[in-house]
Amino acid sequence: MGTRLSLGGDANLDELRRIQQAVSEFGQAQNWPPELVFQIELVIEEVGVNIVNYAYDDAPDRMEVVVDSANDALTLEFIDNGRAFDPLHDAPPPDLEADLEHRPIGGLGVHLVKTMADEAHYRREAGCNHLTLTKRRSL
């Protein structure tokens, strides 16, 4: 049996930091290993910043992060009502071979998130993006 934490608010950087801090405290209370807490903080930052900066055409609206912590794994679900975007398939792959000074800006965050997650799924439901990432608790 797992424990769930659901946090939502305006899609802005201040709210993202609040969500990130709350999930960190939740993870520590759930006895996640420190390395896992760090990885989850990083994933929340990467996905959350993309939602804040790119999901909305006009003024940002809302975002939600739902965390399910079980004995063997944890699941993060990011929900926003911005424009439809599947980062698992729609984001261009980064050029990992180019020299750093010649690489275009962007694209590495989605790559990092996909690499860190053990499972990743996207769906569009009721006008909302749902990105679900699963990470096994053992590192």
Side-chain angles (χ1 to χ4, degrees):
M1 180 63 109
T3 304
R4 176 174 276 206
L5 174 67
S6 181
L7 301 159
D10 294 334
N12 63 52
L13 294 178
D14 288 336
E15 189 65 16
L16 178 59
R17 281 189 282 277
R18 183 191 71 80
I19 289 171
Q20 191 177 31
Q21 181 62 38
V23 172
S24 275
E25 292 170 4
F26 176 74
Q28 292 167 6
Q30 294 291 308
N31 295 315
W32 297 350
E35 298 86 6
L36 184 58
V37 172
F38 173 77
Q39 288 179 357
I40 296 306
E41 288 174 351
L42 186 58
V43 166
I44 290 171
E45 180 175 340
E46 291 296 337
V47 174
V49 166
N50 282 343
I51 291 170
V52 169
N53 289 337
Y54 304 115
Y56 300 98
D57 291 322
D58 299 319
D61 200 344
R62 298 199 37 88
M63 67 180 167
E64 182 179 0
V65 177
V66 179
V67 184
D68 284 307
S69 179
N71 289 335
D72 59 341
L74 61 100
T75 302
L76 292 169
E77 183 175 16
F78 296 87
I79 304 164
D80 69 82
N81 61 346
R83 83 176 68 80
F85 180 73
D86 177 356
L88 304 176
H89 296 99
D90 296 343
D95 183 356
L96 301 175
E97 303 299 320
D99 294 332
L100 286 178
E101 57 271 359
H102 296 108
R103 284 188 194 173
I105 294 174
L108 286 177
V110 171
H111 174 73
L112 177 70
V113 168
K114 288 166 56 173
T115 301
M116 293 177 84
D118 293 310
E119 294 178 33
H121 304 281
Y122 169 85
R123 74 183 188 283
R124 180 82 176 174
E125 182 178 291
C128 291
N129 296 302
H130 293 258
L131 177 63
T132 305
L133 306 169
T134 301
K135 180 73 178 162
R136 287 185 285 281
R137 286 187 65 169
S138 60
L139 294 174

